[in-house]
Amino acid sequence: MSNQPNCENCPVHHKSNLVRLGIDMDKVDYVVALAGNPNTGKSTVFNNLTGLRQHTGNWPGKTVGRAEGAFSYENDRYKIVDLPGTYSLLSTSTDEEVARNFILFGRPDVTVIVADATRLERNLNLVLQILEITDRAILCLNLMDEAKRNHVEIDVRALSRELGIPVIPTSARKREGMPELVAMISDVASGKYVCKPHRQRNHTPQLRHAIGTLAKKLTDQYPGLPNADWVALRLIEGDQSIVEALQNGILEDLVENTTPMAV
């Protein structure tokens, strides 16, 4: 289920949905989401990418803080949004709901997932959940200097093959790997690098049937709903925030403009 365009330099973000989510889309070519567990150095990565070109505020209607920044690369302008640090996207907290909705409905051109290289296994849960709802992601394997100091070895190429996305090793505090990360953000945003993310496929036949049946009803009601199978699964599992989004019309508002819009 790919959202990728076949053309290069083609933004896939939903401008109107991003504006609804409180993002200033003036003078923006590509939108980058920055996700990750707490304590992975995500803020250091954000600061390295944006420098002083950033500002903070709250998400609309939420008490959750939001940091936005900008950077330019090869004549393109990037808006980067630092999502709340979370351990999952299963919406048991406001932070998780904000991060999930931004990736699912805002459809950023790239989602950079910052992971702690010294605790990679613990971080992979969020990585795999994000890969369920976006085809455009990069794993920023941060704190590589600490991993080396603790004799932790990671086969970056093998990890990239297994996940189906680029993996960039970094030590953000030393700015190591940051130029490579920026270049890869450009490649994924423009479609030069086409991700083929790993997706879990261990559902029972009965669950697959239920997901397919409900997903069809959802797409009939909301044409163009991004990743209807995932939304259907969350409804089956009783995700209260998705249930409420259906009941109060928020889901309809978010998907009423379903064609990706360039700026």
Side-chain angles (χ1 to χ4, degrees), residues 147-191:
K148 291 175 182 176
R149 189 161 53 246
N150 290 302
H151 308 291
V152 175
E153 296 185 5
I154 299 173
D155 188 332
V156 173
R157 289 186 178 181
L159 181 61
S160 179
R161 286 196 302 271
E162 288 295 320
L163 294 175
I165 61 174
V167 177
I168 306 297
T170 66
S171 298
R173 285 176 299 192
K174 300 178 179 179
R175 294 195 58 83
E176 295 175 356
M178 299 308 295
E180 291 82 359
L181 178 60
V182 171
M184 185 55 71
I185 288 173
S186 172
D187 285 350
V188 174
S190 65

Side-chain angles (χ1 to χ4, degrees), residues 122-137:
R122 184 184 303 177
N123 286 221
L124 283 176
N125 179 53
L126 178 65
V127 174
L128 294 174
Q129 288 183 18
I130 289 175
L131 294 185
E132 289 288 326
I133 60 175
T134 181
D135 290 336
R136 290 174 168 244

